[in-house]
Amino acid sequence: QVQLVESGGGLVQPGGSLRLSCSASGFVRSIYSMGWYRQAPGKSREWVATVIGGRNTYYAESVEGRFTISSDNAKKAVYLQMNSLKPDDTAVYYCNLKTSKGAEGSWGQGTQVTVSS
């Protein structure tokens, strides 16, 4: 089981940008995927984006075209560049790492993103 540490959250105005980072520590035999989820107040946790094999990226419809996920598997890190932020993007964002497709994912502690005027 790995530990994930996140950074980059904060308060930003609508239309602004933030870059989230997540770094893993502990033994990792290999990395299958790294991704981001979020949970807004009163809502269930929602998938945001995933990168598989360090290069294949997938996005939720709600963030497609605005967010960009990238990873550095050598550094065991994943990033989320968030542009054109909307108030509806306000949530706690969680980092996830899987060592194989069927493996249980490891989670970060979450970082608060607030988009407000």
Side-chain angles (χ1 to χ4, degrees), residues 12-57:
V12 65
Q13 294 183 342
S17 298
L18 283 174
R19 182 176 175 85
L20 305 184
S21 300
C22 175
S23 297
S25 62
F27 177 73
V28 180
R29 179 171 283 105
S30 63
I31 297 176
Y32 170 74
S33 68
M34 300 187 77
W36 292 92
Y37 292 69
R38 66 187 183 187
Q39 186 168 18
K43 299 181 65 177
S44 59
R45 189 169 297 187
E46 173 190 28
W47 170 70
V48 175
T50 298
V51 55
I52 299 176
R55 61 183 299 152
N56 298 311
T57 59

Side-chain angles (χ1 to χ4, degrees), residues 28-90:
V28 180
R29 179 171 283 105
S30 63
I31 297 176
Y32 170 74
S33 68
M34 300 187 77
W36 292 92
Y37 292 69
R38 66 187 183 187
Q39 186 168 18
K43 299 181 65 177
S44 59
R45 189 169 297 187
E46 173 190 28
W47 170 70
V48 175
T50 298
V51 55
I52 299 176
R55 61 183 299 152
N56 298 311
T57 59
Y58 305 88
Y59 298 93
E61 182 180 4
S62 59
V63 306
E64 179 72 44
R66 300 188 298 118
F67 291 9
T68 302
I69 188 171
S70 61
S71 66
D72 185 337
N73 284 4
K75 296 181 179 179
K76 297 184 290 185
V78 64
Y79 311 93
L80 187 68
Q81 178 66 46
M82 304 185 295
N83 299 325
S84 301
L85 283 162
K86 306 174 181 179
D88 285 349
D89 295 319
T90 296

Side-chain angles (χ1 to χ4, degrees), residues 83-110:
N83 299 325
S84 301
L85 283 162
K86 306 174 181 179
D88 285 349
D89 295 319
T90 296
V92 178
Y93 283 70
Y94 297 91
C95 176
N96 176 268
L97 180 151
K98 287 187 174 182
T99 57
S100 67
K101 183 177 181 180
E104 181 181 357
S106 297
W107 294 95
Q109 80 285 357

